[in-house]
Amino acid sequence: MSRVTIADVALLTGEDGPDAVFGLYDPCGRQVLEAAARCGLSVPEDLMVVCGSEDPAYGRTVPPVSTVSLGPEQAGTAAVDALVSLVEDPPHTPPPVVIGTRLEVRASSMRRGRRDGA
């Protein structure tokens, strides 16, 4: 598990603390769950959590964490194709490539109430 620092506690429990956290890398989702628990925050009631990850194990955390897949296999293939294209024909610019994403909505981002009681 991760080490929760004083800065983490201050960030999450401060007067203007966040109501949601998006972690761009794995294992950020697990780290935020741990930090929230140590701060006495309930996910998703006090803090919603979403993580950029393809790890299906996020469906088994407590609560299950919503994830965004950024299509790493597609992105890697597109990057290699662009590099090969540049090496084989240097004076041109490869066309832009749009990589699809996928949002897996789970309990960690499905709020029933708000922290301020509203």
Side-chain angles (χ1 to χ4, degrees):
M1 278 288 151
S2 64
R3 193 174 123 225
V4 179
T5 67
I6 292 172
D8 297 329
V9 173
L11 173 69
L12 293 177
T13 61
E15 185 176 319
D16 293 324
D19 65 350
V21 173
F22 173 74
L24 188 55
Y25 66 92
D26 193 17
C28 188
R30 289 176 191 84
Q31 293 170 340
V32 173
L33 286 179
E34 179 187 352
R38 289 201 181 178
C39 292
L41 298 175
S42 177
V43 174
E45 288 77 12
D46 296 322
L47 183 70
M48 293 182 290
V49 179
V50 177
C51 180
S53 177
E54 285 70 39
D55 186 352
Y58 276 113
R60 297 184 299 274
T61 59
V62 178
V65 173
S66 297
T67 56
V68 176
S69 172
L70 301 176
E73 290 179 13
Q74 289 177 298
T77 298
V80 169
D81 290 347
L83 181 60
V84 168
S85 176
L86 285 171
V87 168
E88 291 177 350
D89 187 14
H92 84 285
T93 300
V97 176
V98 176
I99 305 296
T101 59
R102 185 183 79 252
L103 173 62
E104 185 71 40
V105 178
R106 297 186 179 109
S108 70
S109 62
M110 298 171 58
R111 180 169 289 158
R112 293 169 208 82
R114 290 181 35 191
R115 178 186 348 196
D116 59 9

XYZ file of all heavy atoms in Angstrom:
852
model
N 0.836 -1.197 0.000
C 0.000 0.000 0.000
C 0.875 1.253 0.000
O 2.030 1.215 0.332
C -0.898 0.009 1.233
C -2.155 -0.818 1.093
S -3.286 -0.007 -0.025
C -4.136 -1.392 -0.676
N 0.257 2.340 -0.330
C 0.990 3.594 -0.415
C 1.152 4.220 0.959
O 0.518 3.819 1.926
C 0.248 4.560 -1.336
O -1.009 4.868 -0.761
N 1.987 5.224 1.016
C 2.194 5.965 2.253
C 1.403 7.261 2.164
O 1.625 8.062 1.268
C 3.675 6.251 2.430
C 3.996 6.721 3.807
C 5.483 6.857 3.981
N 5.710 8.218 4.374
C 6.640 9.005 3.889
N 7.471 8.569 2.996
N 6.769 10.235 4.290
N 0.452 7.464 3.049
C -0.360 8.672 3.059
C 0.390 9.729 3.848
O 0.776 9.516 4.990
C -1.750 8.405 3.676
C -2.565 9.675 3.713
C -2.465 7.320 2.892
N 0.606 10.880 3.232
C 1.387 11.940 3.868
C 0.486 12.987 4.524
O -0.723 13.018 4.300
C 2.270 12.651 2.821
O 1.415 13.351 1.908
C 3.142 11.658 2.066
N 1.103 13.848 5.314
C 0.379 14.953 5.941
C -0.235 15.845 4.865
O -1.349 16.331 5.010
C 1.319 15.756 6.859
C 1.719 14.889 8.055
C 0.671 17.047 7.326
C 2.781 15.483 8.935
N 0.471 16.027 3.765
C -0.063 16.841 2.662
C -1.326 16.220 2.079
O -2.281 16.927 1.742
C 0.992 17.015 1.576
N -1.352 14.884 1.971
C -2.550 14.199 1.474
C -3.739 14.490 2.388
O -4.835 14.808 1.921
C -2.340 12.683 1.423
C -1.245 12.255 0.472
O -1.034 12.937 -0.545
O -0.596 11.233 0.754
N -3.513 14.359 3.685
C -4.582 14.586 4.654
C -5.061 16.024 4.572
O -6.268 16.288 4.535
C -4.108 14.247 6.089
C -5.153 14.649 7.112
C -3.787 12.763 6.191
N -4.143 16.977 4.503
C -4.509 18.391 4.419
C -5.297 18.675 3.141
O -6.289 19.408 3.155
C -3.256 19.265 4.477
N -4.873 18.086 2.035
C -5.560 18.305 0.764
C -6.984 17.764 0.814
O -7.931 18.429 0.420
C -4.795 17.639 -0.385
C -5.499 17.658 -1.737
C -5.564 19.078 -2.275
C -4.792 16.757 -2.718
N -7.144 16.559 1.323
C -8.456 15.920 1.300
C -9.418 16.453 2.359
O -10.626 16.436 2.158
C -8.313 14.406 1.454
C -7.648 13.680 0.291
C -7.510 12.189 0.604
C -8.409 13.881 -1.006
N -8.908 16.901 3.492
C -9.787 17.290 4.592
C -9.865 18.793 4.809
O -10.589 19.238 5.686
C -9.342 16.624 5.911
O -8.012 17.047 6.225
C -9.412 15.111 5.814
N -9.152 19.571 4.035
C -9.181 21.024 4.181
C -10.551 21.600 3.890
O -11.427 20.952 3.308
N -10.748 22.838 4.292
C -12.036 23.514 4.104
C -12.477 23.507 2.643
O -13.655 23.338 2.343
C -11.941 24.956 4.612
C -13.255 25.687 4.569
C -13.140 27.075 5.162
O -12.467 27.234 6.194
O -13.732 27.993 4.573
N -11.549 23.695 1.731
C -11.863 23.688 0.306
C -11.402 22.393 -0.359
O -11.006 22.385 -1.522
C -11.195 24.888 -0.389
C -11.799 26.206 0.069
O -13.021 26.245 0.299
O -11.049 27.190 0.193
N -11.477 21.291 0.387
C -11.041 19.998 -0.138
C -11.861 19.587 -1.355
O -12.987 20.043 -1.549
N -11.310 18.736 -2.179
C -11.999 18.322 -3.404
C -13.204 17.435 -3.100
O -13.266 16.793 -2.053
C -10.925 17.529 -4.147
C -10.080 16.949 -3.057
C -10.038 18.027 -1.991
N -14.148 17.413 -4.022
C -15.253 16.470 -3.886
C -15.059 15.283 -4.827
O -15.810 14.319 -4.789
C -16.606 17.133 -4.107
C -16.802 17.651 -5.516
O -15.825 17.677 -6.291
O -17.930 18.041 -5.845
N -14.005 15.356 -5.664
C -13.691 14.260 -6.575
C -12.205 14.307 -6.925
O -11.588 15.369 -6.913
C -14.528 14.372 -7.844
N -11.653 13.129 -7.227
C -10.256 13.023 -7.644
C -10.198 12.120 -8.869
O -10.809 11.051 -8.885
C -9.369 12.418 -6.522
C -7.958 12.161 -7.024
C -9.356 13.317 -5.300
N -9.475 12.587 -9.904
C -9.189 11.757 -11.066
C -7.703 11.473 -11.057
O -6.891 12.389 -11.115
C -9.573 12.449 -12.376
C -9.139 11.669 -13.590
C -9.802 10.519 -13.962
C -8.039 12.069 -14.327
C -9.394 9.784 -15.070
C -7.619 11.347 -15.437
C -8.295 10.196 -15.799
N -7.346 10.201 -10.935
C -5.944 9.798 -10.964
C -5.579 9.362 -12.367
O -6.224 8.480 -12.943
N -4.558 9.953 -12.933
C -4.205 9.700 -14.319
C -3.454 8.393 -14.514
O -3.391 7.872 -15.603
C -3.377 10.879 -14.864
C -3.083 10.872 -16.344
C -4.365 10.777 -17.163
C -2.309 12.099 -16.747
N -2.896 7.844 -13.479
C -2.099 6.622 -13.631
C -2.523 5.592 -12.589
O -3.132 5.912 -11.577
C -0.609 6.933 -13.487
C -0.265 7.400 -12.091
C 0.146 6.497 -11.132
C -0.381 8.737 -11.730
C 0.424 6.904 -9.842
C -0.103 9.149 -10.438
C 0.299 8.235 -9.509
O 0.567 8.644 -8.238
N -2.204 4.348 -12.879
C -2.449 3.264 -11.953
C -1.186 3.118 -11.108
O -0.091 3.193 -11.659
C -2.713 1.994 -12.778
C -3.287 0.855 -11.985
O -3.783 1.105 -10.883
O -3.243 -0.280 -12.482
N -1.238 3.009 -9.818
C -2.296 2.612 -8.899
C -2.949 3.771 -8.147
O -3.346 3.621 -6.995
C -1.572 1.682 -7.943
C -0.243 2.339 -7.771
C 0.071 2.915 -9.157
N -3.064 4.910 -8.769
C -3.604 6.094 -8.097
C -4.963 5.837 -7.453
O -5.242 6.321 -6.367
C -3.682 7.258 -9.078
S -4.125 8.808 -8.294
N -5.830 5.081 -8.123
C -7.154 4.810 -7.558
C -7.082 4.152 -6.199
O -7.782 4.544 -5.256
N -6.218 3.158 -6.065
C -6.058 2.473 -4.774
C -5.456 3.418 -3.728
O -5.826 3.391 -2.562
C -5.180 1.235 -4.940
C -5.856 0.120 -5.697
C -4.898 -1.068 -5.924
N -5.460 -2.010 -6.862
C -5.375 -1.903 -8.185
N -4.743 -0.901 -8.736
N -5.932 -2.805 -8.966
N -4.523 4.247 -4.159
C -3.891 5.187 -3.235
C -4.900 6.213 -2.727
O -4.898 6.567 -1.546
C -2.708 5.863 -3.910
C -1.576 4.905 -4.202
C -0.505 5.508 -5.092
O -0.734 6.481 -5.797
N 0.671 4.899 -5.078
N -5.768 6.691 -3.600
C -6.779 7.661 -3.171
C -7.777 6.993 -2.230
O -8.182 7.600 -1.231
C -7.485 8.308 -4.382
C -8.646 9.177 -3.929
C -6.495 9.137 -5.196
N -8.174 5.752 -2.513
C -9.067 5.045 -1.587
C -8.439 4.935 -0.199
O -9.101 5.156 0.822
C -9.394 3.641 -2.108
C -10.349 3.525 -3.280
C -10.529 2.054 -3.667
C -11.693 4.171 -2.988
N -7.151 4.596 -0.162
C -6.452 4.470 1.118
C -6.379 5.815 1.844
O -6.652 5.903 3.037
C -5.044 3.922 0.916
C -4.277 3.805 2.218
C -2.820 3.411 2.024
O -2.423 3.085 0.908
O -2.090 3.453 3.034
N -6.020 6.861 1.113
C -5.918 8.193 1.724
C -7.279 8.648 2.253
O -7.374 9.180 3.361
C -5.376 9.198 0.717
N -8.335 8.423 1.481
C -9.677 8.811 1.920
C -10.053 8.074 3.208
O -10.565 8.681 4.150
C -10.688 8.533 0.814
N -9.790 6.777 3.245
C -10.118 5.990 4.448
C -9.361 6.506 5.658
O -9.938 6.654 6.743
C -9.805 4.513 4.201
N -8.087 6.797 5.483
C -7.286 7.292 6.622
C -7.732 8.678 7.073
O -7.505 9.047 8.222
C -5.810 7.312 6.257
C -5.260 5.925 6.149
C -3.782 5.904 6.283
N -3.313 4.550 6.142
C -2.059 4.219 6.176
N -1.130 5.143 6.341
N -1.697 2.968 6.044
N -8.367 9.418 6.171
C -8.860 10.757 6.510
C -10.301 10.721 7.017
O -10.886 11.753 7.307
C -8.782 11.671 5.285
S -7.102 12.050 4.776
N -10.872 9.520 7.073
C -12.245 9.392 7.535
C -13.282 9.808 6.501
O -14.417 10.115 6.860
N -12.886 9.833 5.230
C -13.814 10.209 4.159
C -14.438 8.963 3.552
O -13.777 7.940 3.369
C -13.081 10.990 3.068
C -12.446 12.310 3.488
C -11.652 12.906 2.343
C -13.518 13.286 3.964
N -15.701 9.069 3.232
C -16.424 7.971 2.605
C -16.458 8.181 1.096
O -16.767 9.272 0.617
C -17.851 7.939 3.153
O -18.589 6.927 2.513
N -16.116 7.124 0.364
C -16.171 7.159 -1.100
C -17.422 6.399 -1.505
O -17.601 5.257 -1.083
C -14.910 6.503 -1.711
C -15.019 6.411 -3.218
C -13.652 7.272 -1.313
N -18.307 6.991 -2.251
C -18.279 8.253 -2.983
C -18.989 9.401 -2.278
O -19.028 10.511 -2.805
C -19.026 7.905 -4.267
C -20.096 6.977 -3.806
C -19.434 6.158 -2.710
N -19.570 9.180 -1.102
C -20.368 10.227 -0.461
C -19.573 11.505 -0.199
O -20.054 12.605 -0.465
C -20.997 9.708 0.832
C -22.122 8.714 0.599
C -21.636 7.315 0.228
O -20.423 7.024 0.366
O -22.474 6.513 -0.208
N -18.349 11.368 0.328
C -17.524 12.541 0.604
C -16.560 12.851 -0.539
O -16.213 14.009 -0.766
C -16.681 12.316 1.873
C -17.527 12.149 3.111
O -18.551 12.853 3.231
O -17.177 11.311 3.965
N -16.104 11.827 -1.213
C -15.082 11.988 -2.253
C -15.318 10.952 -3.347
O -15.318 9.751 -3.072
C -13.684 11.779 -1.649
C -12.500 11.985 -2.578
C -12.344 13.466 -2.922
C -11.229 11.444 -1.944
N -15.543 11.436 -4.573
C -15.691 10.519 -5.704
C -14.307 10.247 -6.292
O -13.436 11.118 -6.266
C -16.614 11.121 -6.761
C -18.044 11.258 -6.269
S -19.176 11.913 -7.508
C -18.613 13.612 -7.610
N -14.110 9.031 -6.816
C -12.799 8.619 -7.322
C -12.950 7.973 -8.696
O -13.792 7.097 -8.892
C -12.116 7.615 -6.362
C -10.766 7.161 -6.903
C -11.966 8.214 -4.968
N -12.112 8.436 -9.638
C -12.011 7.834 -10.970
C -10.527 7.731 -11.282
O -9.742 8.623 -10.940
C -12.720 8.686 -12.043
C -12.541 8.085 -13.428
C -14.198 8.854 -11.718
N -10.129 6.636 -11.936
C -8.718 6.412 -12.229
C -8.542 6.016 -13.688
O -9.347 5.272 -14.234
C -8.190 5.301 -11.332
S -6.446 4.914 -11.575
N -7.485 6.517 -14.310
C -7.113 6.086 -15.648
C -6.417 4.742 -15.550
O -5.309 4.659 -15.025
N -7.082 3.680 -15.998
C -6.508 2.344 -15.858
C -7.270 1.352 -16.716
O -8.446 1.532 -17.001
C -6.565 1.897 -14.400
O -6.065 0.581 -14.257
N -6.582 0.277 -17.071
C -7.214 -0.846 -17.752
C -7.328 -2.042 -16.810
O -7.743 -3.111 -17.227
C -6.382 -1.254 -18.990
C -6.515 -0.310 -20.165
C -5.853 1.023 -19.933
O -4.765 1.064 -19.328
O -6.423 2.051 -20.340
N -6.969 -1.885 -15.561
C -6.928 -2.979 -14.588
C -8.336 -3.377 -14.152
O -9.028 -2.606 -13.479
C -6.110 -2.546 -13.374
C -5.887 -3.656 -12.371
O -6.495 -4.738 -12.522
O -5.109 -3.442 -11.429
N -8.790 -4.580 -14.517
C -10.134 -5.007 -14.124
C -10.281 -5.195 -12.610
O -11.404 -5.248 -12.103
C -10.323 -6.334 -14.863
C -8.952 -6.818 -15.168
C -8.084 -5.595 -15.296
N -9.179 -5.250 -11.879
C -9.245 -5.411 -10.419
C -9.919 -4.215 -9.748
O -10.415 -4.344 -8.626
C -7.848 -5.621 -9.843
N -9.968 -3.065 -10.420
C -10.676 -1.916 -9.837
C -12.164 -2.222 -9.666
O -12.837 -1.579 -8.861
C -10.483 -0.656 -10.680
C -9.202 0.054 -10.339
C -8.156 0.130 -11.243
C -9.039 0.659 -9.098
C -6.979 0.776 -10.925
C -7.868 1.310 -8.762
C -6.842 1.369 -9.678
O -5.675 2.013 -9.355
N -12.682 -3.195 -10.382
C -14.067 -3.607 -10.204
C -14.289 -4.385 -8.920
O -15.427 -4.606 -8.514
N -13.196 -4.775 -8.249
C -13.297 -5.554 -7.009
C -12.817 -4.790 -5.777
O -12.774 -5.361 -4.689
C -12.507 -6.856 -7.165
C -13.076 -7.748 -8.267
C -12.366 -9.081 -8.372
N -10.938 -8.985 -8.695
C -10.446 -8.897 -9.937
N -11.252 -8.862 -10.973
N -9.145 -8.844 -10.142
N -12.445 -3.511 -5.939
C -12.056 -2.729 -4.760
C -13.319 -2.372 -3.982
O -14.436 -2.553 -4.454
C -11.294 -1.443 -5.168
O -12.129 -0.657 -6.025
C -9.983 -1.759 -5.850
N -13.145 -1.845 -2.780
C -14.286 -1.434 -1.962
C -14.171 0.059 -1.696
O -13.278 0.477 -0.971
C -14.327 -2.216 -0.631
C -15.500 -1.748 0.226
C -14.420 -3.708 -0.893
N -15.054 0.852 -2.313
C -16.019 0.477 -3.347
C -15.317 0.283 -4.686
O -14.179 0.729 -4.863
C -16.967 1.680 -3.391
C -16.086 2.841 -3.068
C -15.116 2.307 -2.034
N -16.009 -0.358 -5.645
C -15.415 -0.498 -6.978
C -15.123 0.882 -7.579
O -15.948 1.792 -7.489
C -16.507 -1.219 -7.773
C -17.307 -1.945 -6.734
C -17.292 -1.035 -5.532
N -13.912 1.043 -8.162
C -13.469 2.346 -8.676
C -13.775 2.474 -10.166
O -13.465 1.587 -10.957
C -11.950 2.542 -8.431
C -11.440 3.809 -9.104
C -11.664 2.587 -6.936
N -14.394 3.598 -10.532
C -14.642 3.916 -11.937
C -13.307 4.126 -12.632
O -12.375 4.705 -12.051
C -15.483 5.187 -12.062
O -16.755 4.997 -11.487
N -13.205 3.652 -13.871
C -11.953 3.788 -14.617
C -12.205 4.361 -16.006
O -13.287 4.209 -16.570
C -11.241 2.429 -14.763
O -12.133 1.487 -15.373
C -10.757 1.899 -13.430
N -11.170 5.010 -16.523
C -11.164 5.496 -17.897
C -10.012 4.801 -18.604
O -8.862 4.892 -18.167
C -10.952 7.034 -17.963
C -10.861 7.493 -19.406
C -12.062 7.757 -17.237
N -10.335 4.096 -19.670
C -9.294 3.471 -20.480
C -8.912 4.438 -21.583
O -9.771 4.943 -22.313
C -9.789 2.168 -21.101
O -8.810 1.694 -22.017
N -7.630 4.725 -21.700
C -7.134 5.640 -22.722
C -6.614 4.896 -23.943
O -5.916 5.475 -24.773
C -6.054 6.545 -22.128
C -6.516 7.387 -20.934
C -5.354 8.181 -20.359
C -7.660 8.299 -21.316
N -6.951 3.618 -24.052
C -6.578 2.836 -25.222
C -5.087 2.714 -25.442
O -4.601 3.053 -26.519
N -4.317 2.214 -24.473
C -2.865 2.188 -24.621
C -2.373 1.322 -25.782
O -1.387 1.680 -26.426
C -2.367 1.653 -23.279
C -3.523 0.917 -22.700
C -4.745 1.636 -23.197
N -3.059 0.237 -26.075
C -2.618 -0.598 -27.199
C -2.811 0.140 -28.518
O -1.921 0.142 -29.379
C -3.370 -1.926 -27.200
C -2.952 -2.822 -26.055
C -3.721 -4.138 -26.026
O -4.398 -4.466 -27.031
O -3.639 -4.833 -25.015
N -3.966 0.777 -28.682
C -4.218 1.562 -29.894
C -3.237 2.727 -30.000
O -2.730 3.019 -31.083
C -5.639 2.114 -29.901
C -6.717 1.085 -30.112
C -8.083 1.748 -30.032
O -8.443 2.299 -28.999
N -8.817 1.687 -31.135
N -2.983 3.401 -28.882
C -2.066 4.534 -28.889
C -0.653 4.090 -29.253
O 0.043 4.756 -30.036
C -2.067 5.239 -27.528
N -0.216 2.956 -28.704
C 1.110 2.435 -29.020
C 1.234 2.074 -30.482
O 2.239 2.399 -31.139
N 0.219 1.407 -31.017
C 0.231 1.038 -32.439
C 0.266 2.282 -33.318
O 1.035 2.351 -34.285
C -1.012 0.182 -32.782
O -0.954 -1.018 -32.006
C -1.061 -0.159 -34.258
N -0.547 3.278 -32.993
C -0.575 4.520 -33.776
C 0.771 5.243 -33.709
O 1.240 5.789 -34.707
C -1.692 5.431 -33.283
N 1.401 5.237 -32.533
C 2.699 5.903 -32.388
C 3.768 5.211 -33.228
O 4.570 5.870 -33.903
C 3.117 5.931 -30.915
N 3.781 3.884 -33.211
C 4.753 3.137 -34.012
C 4.503 3.381 -35.500
O 5.436 3.616 -36.269
C 4.714 1.627 -33.675
C 5.519 0.817 -34.681
C 5.243 1.398 -32.261
N 3.239 3.336 -35.910
C 2.912 3.598 -37.314
C 3.383 4.987 -37.744
O 3.942 5.159 -38.835
C 1.403 3.462 -37.552
C 0.905 2.032 -37.453
O 1.738 1.097 -37.444
O -0.334 1.856 -37.374
N 3.161 5.994 -36.894
C 3.585 7.353 -37.217
C 5.104 7.441 -37.311
O 5.647 8.093 -38.217
C 3.058 8.341 -36.175
N 5.809 6.789 -36.399
C 7.270 6.810 -36.418
C 7.809 6.132 -37.674
O 8.702 6.662 -38.345
C 7.826 6.133 -35.162
C 9.345 6.104 -35.028
C 9.903 7.524 -35.015
C 9.744 5.359 -33.783
N 7.258 4.982 -38.013
C 7.685 4.278 -39.225
C 7.422 5.150 -40.454
O 8.264 5.269 -41.347
C 6.979 2.910 -39.345
C 7.178 2.298 -40.721
C 7.478 1.963 -38.261
N 6.278 5.785 -40.481
C 5.928 6.667 -41.596
C 6.929 7.816 -41.728
O 7.354 8.168 -42.828
C 4.515 7.212 -41.385
O 4.178 8.139 -42.376
N 7.320 8.389 -40.609
C 8.295 9.495 -40.631
C 9.673 9.027 -41.080
O 10.389 9.743 -41.783
C 8.393 10.145 -39.252
C 7.222 11.032 -38.867
C 7.324 11.429 -37.399
C 7.170 12.266 -39.751
N 10.069 7.829 -40.653
C 11.381 7.294 -41.041
C 11.398 6.978 -42.538
O 12.371 7.266 -43.234
C 11.726 6.039 -40.202
C 12.929 5.308 -40.772
C 11.979 6.430 -38.747
N 10.301 6.409 -43.029
C 10.251 6.016 -44.438
C 10.028 7.190 -45.383
O 10.442 7.142 -46.536
C 9.154 4.957 -44.639
C 9.502 3.629 -43.991
C 8.387 2.603 -44.114
O 7.259 2.951 -44.530
O 8.653 1.432 -43.776
N 9.365 8.247 -44.891
C 9.069 9.403 -45.742
C 9.180 10.681 -44.905
O 8.167 11.281 -44.530
C 7.665 9.248 -46.331
C 7.338 10.320 -47.360
O 8.258 11.017 -47.828
O 6.134 10.450 -47.679
N 10.430 11.110 -44.602
C 10.664 12.196 -43.647
C 10.016 13.548 -43.949
O 9.679 14.264 -43.025
C 12.185 12.353 -43.614
C 12.749 11.231 -44.378
C 11.654 10.570 -45.143
N 9.808 13.960 -45.190
C 9.318 15.328 -45.363
C 7.815 15.512 -45.096
O 7.303 16.597 -45.282
C 9.645 15.651 -46.814
C 9.796 14.354 -47.501
C 10.195 13.356 -46.458
N 7.099 14.515 -44.671
C 5.663 14.704 -44.452
C 5.308 14.583 -42.969
O 6.102 14.127 -42.153
C 4.856 13.697 -45.285
C 4.710 12.361 -44.618
N 5.719 11.452 -44.538
C 3.647 11.804 -43.977
C 5.310 10.379 -43.894
N 4.064 10.558 -43.537
N 4.109 15.010 -42.663
C 3.591 14.885 -41.302
C 2.488 13.837 -41.320
O 1.532 13.966 -42.098
C 3.003 16.228 -40.820
O 4.034 17.205 -40.844
C 2.441 16.112 -39.419
N 2.613 12.807 -40.494
C 1.558 11.793 -40.451
C 0.224 12.430 -40.040
O 0.199 13.399 -39.274
C 2.026 10.808 -39.391
C 3.491 11.045 -39.260
C 3.703 12.493 -39.586
N -0.878 11.900 -40.539
C -2.180 12.468 -40.174
C -2.487 12.220 -38.699
O -1.992 11.264 -38.110
C -3.159 11.697 -41.065
C -2.461 10.423 -41.390
C -0.996 10.743 -41.416
N -3.308 13.080 -38.112
C -3.683 12.870 -36.711
C -4.501 11.584 -36.568
O -5.199 11.167 -37.490
C -4.525 14.092 -36.355
C -4.840 14.774 -37.627
C -3.917 14.265 -38.681
N -4.398 10.982 -35.404
C -5.128 9.747 -35.110
C -5.951 9.977 -33.847
O -5.435 10.494 -32.855
C -4.160 8.566 -34.896
C -4.910 7.307 -34.501
C -3.309 8.333 -36.131
N -7.207 9.613 -33.895
C -8.072 9.727 -32.722
C -8.186 8.343 -32.084
O -8.545 7.368 -32.745
C -9.478 10.248 -33.109
C -10.396 10.274 -31.893
C -9.373 11.627 -33.738
N -7.847 8.285 -30.819
C -7.897 7.035 -30.070
C -9.154 7.057 -29.199
O -9.381 8.009 -28.445
C -6.655 6.869 -29.164
C -5.360 6.993 -29.959
C -6.727 5.565 -28.380
C -5.137 5.935 -30.993
N -9.953 6.026 -29.297
C -11.166 5.950 -28.487
C -10.861 5.710 -27.023
O -9.850 5.105 -26.675
N -11.721 6.204 -26.170
C -11.609 5.979 -24.734
C -12.846 5.220 -24.265
O -13.848 5.137 -24.975
C -11.502 7.302 -23.958
O -12.667 8.091 -24.232
C -10.259 8.070 -24.348
N -12.757 4.667 -23.062
C -13.891 3.933 -22.507
C -14.007 4.260 -21.021
O -13.029 4.167 -20.278
C -13.701 2.432 -22.694
C -14.911 1.604 -22.252
C -14.665 0.096 -22.371
N -13.869 -0.373 -21.233
C -12.593 -0.753 -21.290
N -11.934 -0.721 -22.422
N -11.951 -1.150 -20.215
N -15.179 4.676 -20.601
C -15.456 4.954 -19.199
C -16.226 3.787 -18.607
O -17.301 3.416 -19.104
C -16.267 6.238 -19.051
C -16.767 6.574 -17.642
C -15.601 6.791 -16.678
C -17.674 7.795 -17.689
N -15.678 3.191 -17.561
C -16.342 2.105 -16.831
C -16.842 2.713 -15.522
O -16.071 2.945 -14.583
C -15.346 0.975 -16.552
C -15.949 -0.240 -15.908
C -16.832 -1.034 -16.850
O -16.460 -1.181 -18.034
O -17.879 -1.506 -16.392
N -18.139 3.049 -15.489
C -18.712 3.708 -14.311
C -18.986 2.660 -13.239
O -19.653 1.654 -13.488
C -20.016 4.457 -14.667
C -20.615 5.104 -13.416
C -19.741 5.507 -15.736
N -18.426 2.931 -12.055
C -18.626 2.041 -10.907
C -19.013 2.886 -9.698
O -19.118 4.103 -9.778
C -17.347 1.245 -10.633
C -16.972 0.313 -11.801
C -15.789 -0.574 -11.427
N -15.433 -1.468 -12.501
C -14.325 -1.342 -13.241
N -13.461 -0.365 -12.999
N -14.072 -2.211 -14.200
N -19.197 2.243 -8.575
C -19.737 2.896 -7.368
C -18.933 4.099 -6.890
O -19.493 5.024 -6.309
C -19.857 1.878 -6.233
N -17.627 4.137 -7.127
C -16.798 5.220 -6.577
C -17.134 6.598 -7.127
O -16.743 7.607 -6.543
C -15.317 4.932 -6.832
O -15.026 5.067 -8.218
N -17.870 6.666 -8.231
C -18.212 7.974 -8.801
C -19.722 8.190 -8.890
O -20.182 9.094 -9.562
C -17.592 8.124 -10.202
O -18.110 7.139 -11.079
N -20.469 7.364 -8.191
C -21.922 7.477 -8.221
C -22.414 7.976 -6.870
O -22.721 7.192 -5.967
C -22.543 6.125 -8.579
C -22.131 5.665 -9.959
S -22.603 3.976 -10.363
C -24.359 4.031 -10.153
N -22.459 9.288 -6.742
C -22.794 9.909 -5.463
C -24.301 9.918 -5.217
O -25.072 10.228 -6.092
C -22.274 11.343 -5.434
C -22.609 12.026 -4.128
C -21.919 13.317 -3.950
N -20.515 13.068 -3.731
C -19.581 13.981 -3.954
N -19.901 15.154 -4.410
N -18.330 13.701 -3.733
N -24.655 9.590 -3.987
C -26.058 9.637 -3.578
C -26.381 10.947 -2.871
O -27.488 11.410 -2.877
C -26.369 8.472 -2.658
C -26.290 7.132 -3.368
C -26.342 5.986 -2.358
N -25.655 4.802 -2.832
C -24.351 4.579 -2.768
N -23.563 5.478 -2.239
N -23.824 3.472 -3.223
N -25.408 11.540 -2.211
C -25.575 12.797 -1.483
C -24.317 13.608 -1.577
O -23.323 13.158 -2.141
N -24.320 14.817 -1.033
C -23.133 15.677 -1.104
C -22.550 15.883 0.281
O -23.242 15.825 1.277
C -23.502 17.029 -1.711
C -23.828 16.902 -3.179
C -24.182 18.184 -3.838
N -23.443 19.303 -3.318
C -23.753 20.561 -3.610
N -24.735 20.824 -4.395
N -23.044 21.547 -3.121
N -21.243 16.182 0.307
C -20.520 16.355 1.554
C -21.109 17.482 2.398
O -21.160 17.403 3.609
C -19.042 16.655 1.248
C -18.246 16.901 2.473
C -16.826 17.345 2.278
N -16.281 17.232 0.958
C -15.009 17.286 0.684
N -14.144 17.443 1.653
N -14.556 17.211 -0.528
N -21.584 18.563 1.765
C -22.086 19.717 2.524
C -23.543 19.532 2.968
O -24.134 20.426 3.533
C -21.951 21.004 1.712
C -22.710 20.962 0.393
O -23.483 20.004 0.170
O -22.542 21.896 -0.411
N -24.094 18.325 2.711
C -25.443 18.029 3.153
C -26.521 18.540 2.227
O -27.702 18.368 2.479
N -26.152 19.195 1.135
C -27.152 19.738 0.198
C -27.745 18.660 -0.654
O -27.225 17.620 -0.837
C -26.533 20.819 -0.669
